Amino acid sequence: MLGGCVSSSDSYDNITDYIKIYTDWANYYLERAKSKKKVTDLSSDCRDGLLLAEIIEAVTSFKVPDLHKKPKNQQQMVSVGH
């Protein structure tokens, strides 16, 4: 679920705590970058590539190249480029 961040000995409550911590962390950076987006459910929201790219940009201050911020069709949703 969270890869190497959570050991197999962690209880479900601890995993829930980790998810809350990382959700708060992502929202802190999104707010700092003046984003209108917000993470509500880390495990499902990061499946949205646009939100994930926005989090990456907010944390690193680098732009994700060739990103369609407002895709107009299915092809633009799954591809990068112009």
Side-chain angles (χ1 to χ4, degrees), residues 12 23 25 44 55-56 62 78:
Y12 179 76
T23 299
W25 173 83
S44 64
I55 293 169
I56 291 168
F62 292 105
V78 297

Side-chain angles (χ1 to χ4, degrees), residues 11-31:
S11 70
Y12 179 76
D13 289 338
N14 287 343
I15 292 171
T16 303
D17 291 341
Y18 285 119
I19 291 171
K20 170 91 172 91
I21 289 166
Y22 285 116
T23 299
D24 291 345
W25 173 83
N27 285 325
Y28 167 80
Y29 279 99
L30 288 170
E31 185 177 314

Side-chain angles (χ1 to χ4, degrees), residues 7-68:
S7 72
S8 60
S9 64
D10 284 334
S11 70
Y12 179 76
D13 289 338
N14 287 343
I15 292 171
T16 303
D17 291 341
Y18 285 119
I19 291 171
K20 170 91 172 91
I21 289 166
Y22 285 116
T23 299
D24 291 345
W25 173 83
N27 285 325
Y28 167 80
Y29 279 99
L30 288 170
E31 185 177 314
R32 197 170 119 181
K34 300 189 181 348
S35 173
K36 294 178 183 174
K37 294 184 179 181
K38 187 173 182 173
V39 176
T40 55
D41 180 352
L42 188 67
S43 61
S44 64
D45 289 351
C46 285
R47 291 179 188 161
D48 175 349
L50 292 175
L51 179 56
L52 184 56
E54 200 160 330
I55 293 169
I56 291 168
E57 289 178 349
V59 171
T60 65
S61 299
F62 292 105
K63 295 292 179 196
V64 175
D66 300 326
L67 181 68
H68 294 283

